[in-house]
Amino acid sequence: MDAVALPKPEDVGVFYDRFTRLFEILWGDSLHFGYWPPGAAGGGSIEEGQERLTDLMASKVTVGMSDSFLDVGCGTGRASLRLAQAKGCSLTGINVSQQQVEAANQRAARAGLSERVRFRIADAMAMPFSGDAFEGAWAFESLLHMPSLSRAVREIHRVIKPAGRLVISDVVVIRPMSADDEAYYRSTYPVAPMLKQGDYAATLQSAGFTVLEVLDLSDRVAQTLALTLDNIDRCSAQINEAYGPDFIGVLKSAWSQSIKIHLQSLGYAVFVAQKG
Ligand SMILES: C[S@@+](CC[C@H](N)C(=O)[O-])C[C@H]1O[C@@H](n2cnc3c(N)ncnc32)[C@H](O)[C@@H]1O
């Protein structure tokens, strides 16, 4: 039995409405890990690392200029816009956070892309789209919030065309996680129980996907954790202004504990899957 309740999409929306400003202060425009490729010097900012991860994910996507693409859990739209600019495709981003949808649509307007890139409120577990509506989809660190990964990936399978690709980046379990750590993590962030890489791939297969590739990026993204802690100190004035003076102590302690749990038990993987 689950000690901590499964996340409800509406609660996840409220969480992101509340903390999008914090992520913006600490991480910039994207809400995902950064990527430091093998042999890279290892320097640079989180934002540079995030753009590298977006580009790595984009390199796995097959979408043409006349195609429509789906971003599942689109944040404030940074990665969507980068993909739409690179590939020339149309794109729909869905999200359960009203504030993020508004920010993403404003970002699309500033980029002059509102005609072909649109963001809207929709729950990935029950999408308001007909079958085979999109050429492909991606999901950057959003599926960990779904109360049922299996139901979410079946739903994505329904809305993409035969042979369409789904590219996912997500946190996975790579070493045993204690019950206390899992309870702490899941009561701090609105996430479902995390899976091992193999179980994740099996869930995709059960939904009807063929898993083409799995990249273990655990060591390649971990630098994001310490850089975020540095940013908490560096940006303390902005954080205090946005959340009040008592918040930063809670944040530092929660992030330090999260780093410990990540380094002990969690990793990061990219899955490239194809419908059929
Ligand atoms: C860690 S953020 C990643 C955002 C974005 N993909 C990025 O990389 O910048 C997770 C995102 O998933 C969205 N999300 C979570 N549960 C969702 C659901 N059931 N349906 C749609 N979006 C969801 C959140 O609102 C948030 O935008």
Side-chain angles (χ1 to χ4, degrees):
M1 229 175 81
D2 254 339
V4 181
L6 290 169
K8 293 197 188 92
E10 57 272 28
D11 295 341
V12 177
V14 169
F15 174 89
Y16 279 102
D17 280 348
R18 175 155 187 235
F19 291 118
T20 291
R21 175 71 190 129
L22 177 66
F23 290 121
E24 192 180 63
I25 293 168
L26 295 175
W27 282 11
D29 292 340
S30 294
L31 284 85
H32 57 249
F33 276 74
Y35 167 60
W36 282 264
S45 65
I46 293 180
E47 283 178 276
E48 287 163 344
Q50 288 170 327
E51 299 289 57
R52 282 193 295 269
L53 184 63
T54 302
D55 291 344
L56 175 70
M57 295 275 284
S59 74
K60 307 294 177 188
V61 164
T62 48
V63 65
M65 290 185 72
S66 54
D67 295 328
S68 296
F69 191 80
L70 174 68
D71 186 344
V72 178
C74 59
T76 55
R78 171 81 190 175
S80 297
L81 287 168
R82 196 166 168 91
L83 183 76
Q85 274 157 338
K87 306 275 185 182
C89 59
S90 299
L91 187 145
T92 299
I94 62 160
N95 202 330
V96 286
S97 159
Q98 185 67 44
Q99 285 198 12
Q100 290 193 337
V101 166
E102 282 164 21
N105 279 321
Q106 283 163 13
R107 195 188 296 286
R110 283 197 302 275
L113 288 177
S114 297
E115 285 289 302
R116 62 183 170 97
V117 179
R118 297 214 176 97
F119 301 97
R120 58 179 287 184
I121 288 285
D123 178 3
M125 304 280 297
M127 289 190 262
F129 306 122
S130 54
D132 301 354
F134 299 97
E135 187 61 33
W138 72 12
F140 270 92
E141 294 169 38
S142 57
L143 297 182
L144 76 173
H145 291 300
M146 307 291 158
S148 164
L149 176 67
S150 165
R151 186 162 151 212
V153 295
R154 278 176 201 281
E155 186 61 354
I156 299 170
H157 186 274
R158 181 182 70 77
V159 302
I160 65 176
K161 293 187 176 145
R165 278 194 185 184
L166 167 62
V167 183
I168 299 169
S169 73
D170 217 339
V171 176
V172 290
V173 175
I174 53 171
R175 284 179 288 273
M177 197 172 184
S178 73
D180 281 354
D181 282 354
E182 174 154 1
Y184 177 83
Y185 203 82
R186 292 190 47 225
S187 53
T188 306
Y189 310 102
V191 295
M194 279 157 288
L195 299 179
K196 291 185 193 148
Q197 198 171 285
D199 294 337
Y200 207 116
T203 304
L204 288 167
Q205 269 154 356
S206 302
F209 285 102
T210 302
V211 177
L212 302 177
E213 199 179 351
V214 182
L215 302 176
D216 178 356
L217 300 188
S218 306
D219 296 339
R220 312 257 60 95
V221 304
Q223 194 164 334
T224 313
L225 299 165
L227 286 176
T228 303
L229 197 57
D230 293 345
N231 282 356
I232 293 176
D233 284 331
R234 207 171 48 77
C235 305
S236 59
Q238 282 168 280
I239 296 169
N240 284 342
E241 195 188 324
Y243 293 95
D246 296 338
F247 180 72
I248 199 133
V250 178
L251 176 65
K252 266 186 97 162
S253 141
W255 194 256
S256 303
Q257 183 64 15
S258 303
I259 292 182
K260 212 178 110 227
I261 295 172
H262 262 268
L263 297 179
Q264 220 157 266
S265 306
L266 297 175
Y268 195 90
V270 166
F271 300 87
V272 184
Q274 186 167 37
K275 176 169 173 174

